[in-house]
Amino acid sequence: MAHISASVFTSHVPAIGAALDLGKLAEPYWQPVFAGYDFSKQWMKDNKPDVIFLVYNDHATAFSLEMIPTFAIGCADEFRPADEGWGPRPVPMVKGHPDLASHIAQSVIQDDFDLTIVNKMDVDHGLTVPLSLMCGQPQEWPCPVIPFAVNVVQYPVPSGRRCYNLGKAIRKAVESYDQPLNVHIWGTGGMSHQLQGPRAGLINREWDNAFLDRLIADPEGQAGVPHIDYVREAGSEGIELVMWLIARGAMSDNPPKVRHRFYHVPASNTAVGHLILENT
Ligand code: DHB
Ligand code: FE
């Protein structure tokens, strides 16, 4: 049977993608950001999964106000890096895993979570920047990726509790797949940031770090935090963090092993947070 062995959590700042693509890695502003992922790139090589289930949000790229799925699972063979206004990022095509994705859709929908099935979708910085941070600049991504898009852009957004319980349903789905696959689940987006309005530029280090503590040690408690707390404390785009609860909910009920933890400000308008948790 398939199993989930680890989860990865990371911010997805678009300027990080631009810094990589334009060869600015060694610049003093970016160097400390990328240094936080040196361990992670080696860890990815040492712990290469068979499939990554990548929870992220689309930023009005594949979807728009015309269509707003709360949860969308990518079941296609492949997904193109999106053109977000400056041409597509020069990164590999994302290969999917239609068979496992369809199995997860079947299981999770029968478990009462209404997913939108997507058979054609371009993937934006929400998905490609985490892959770049964890894998560097390879010719091909190391394994197939199942994109799982969550609406955190247009209200109403799903609650932390719903995300956490959905993660548990995804775990059950993966564990009932009839192939011995090693699956990693990633939760991406965040940490504190606000891109517009009078509070633009908001960063809340204390809240971010308390979130990381709680995500590790008390995800049940964190799942009960209402979305308005995220918005007030972590900014309007800080709500992206609820997606991390999907990946956390998919981990085993035993306390996880923390393999890596990183937090850095500044990176564009965002606090960068990053965790690698292994199942024990
Ligand atoms: C920034 C962060 C985001 O999450 C995003 O989607 C767009 C911009 C930023 O920090 O600039
Ligand atoms: Fe974002």
Side-chain angles (χ1 to χ4, degrees):
M1 291 306 203
H3 71 287
I4 294 175
S5 61
S7 54
V8 171
F9 305 84
T10 179
S11 307
H12 66 210
V13 195
I16 290 179
L20 256 171
D21 301 342
L22 300 171
K24 296 185 175 182
L25 246 92
E27 286 191 1
Y29 182 88
W30 290 112
Q31 206 284 326
V33 178
F34 290 109
Y37 291 82
D38 285 345
F39 173 90
S40 316
K41 287 200 273 287
Q42 189 58 47
W43 179 86
M44 273 300 286
K45 289 192 178 121
D46 297 341
N47 298 273
K48 194 171 100 56
D50 297 311
V51 183
I52 297 167
F53 189 92
L54 204 159
V55 180
Y56 77 110
N57 71 291
D58 177 80
H59 300 75
T61 305
F63 306 120
S64 70
L65 290 181
E66 291 180 359
M67 221 181 287
I68 308 167
T70 302
F71 300 116
I73 185 163
C75 295
D77 281 323
E78 53 186 25
F79 306 88
R80 289 183 318 188
D83 182 350
E84 297 179 64
W86 297 270
R89 290 193 60 214
V91 293
M93 188 79 115
V94 175
K95 301 260 166 40
H97 197 304
D99 200 61
L100 177 59
S102 309
H103 170 83
I104 293 173
Q106 160 79 21
S107 176
V108 167
I109 291 170
Q110 287 297 316
D111 253 346
D112 303 336
F113 290 90
D114 305 318
L115 308 187
T116 299
I117 292 163
V118 182
N119 291 319
K120 187 172 192 301
M121 175 165 72
D122 290 354
V123 286
D124 73 10
H125 69 271
L127 184 131
T128 62
V129 167
L131 281 172
S132 296
L133 281 168
M134 294 298 294
C135 309
Q137 295 170 293
Q139 288 297 313
E140 298 289 337
W141 299 122
C143 67
V145 175
I146 298 175
F148 190 87
V150 179
N151 169 43
V152 288
V153 168
Q154 178 63 37
Y155 283 85
V157 300
S159 70
R161 173 72 56 205
R162 183 134 182 92
C163 289
Y164 188 61
N165 288 337
L166 171 59
K168 289 178 190 272
I170 292 167
R171 184 205 313 176
K172 183 174 151 199
V174 169
E175 288 176 352
S176 63
Y177 186 66
D178 188 16
Q179 298 287 325
L181 297 180
N182 174 18
V183 179
H184 287 182
I185 183 161
W186 292 15
T188 65
M191 299 200 80
S192 57
H193 61 305
Q194 169 141 351
L195 300 178
Q196 73 278 300
R199 297 202 310 162
L202 178 146
I203 298 288
N204 189 341
R205 287 171 189 265
E206 208 178 320
W207 195 89
D208 284 343
N209 280 288
F211 176 88
L212 293 174
D213 291 342
R214 221 159 166 214
L215 190 80
I216 295 165
D218 181 23
E220 251 328 304
Q222 185 61 39
V225 172
H227 86 271
I228 197 69
D229 286 25
Y230 288 79
V231 175
R232 188 180 57 246
E233 300 296 333
S236 51
E237 279 67 47
I239 189 63
E240 289 179 343
L241 284 170
V242 289
M243 296 186 288
W244 295 29
L245 283 164
I246 298 178
R248 186 65 182 87
M251 294 290 282
S252 107
D253 294 330
N254 301 328
K257 179 168 184 200
V258 181
R259 284 306 302 271
H260 186 51
R261 177 171 173 162
F262 174 65
Y263 185 77
H264 177 80
V265 180
S268 192
N269 302 292
T270 313
V272 168
H274 174 38
L275 282 176
I276 299 176
L277 304 183
E278 288 177 356
N279 266 336
T280 54

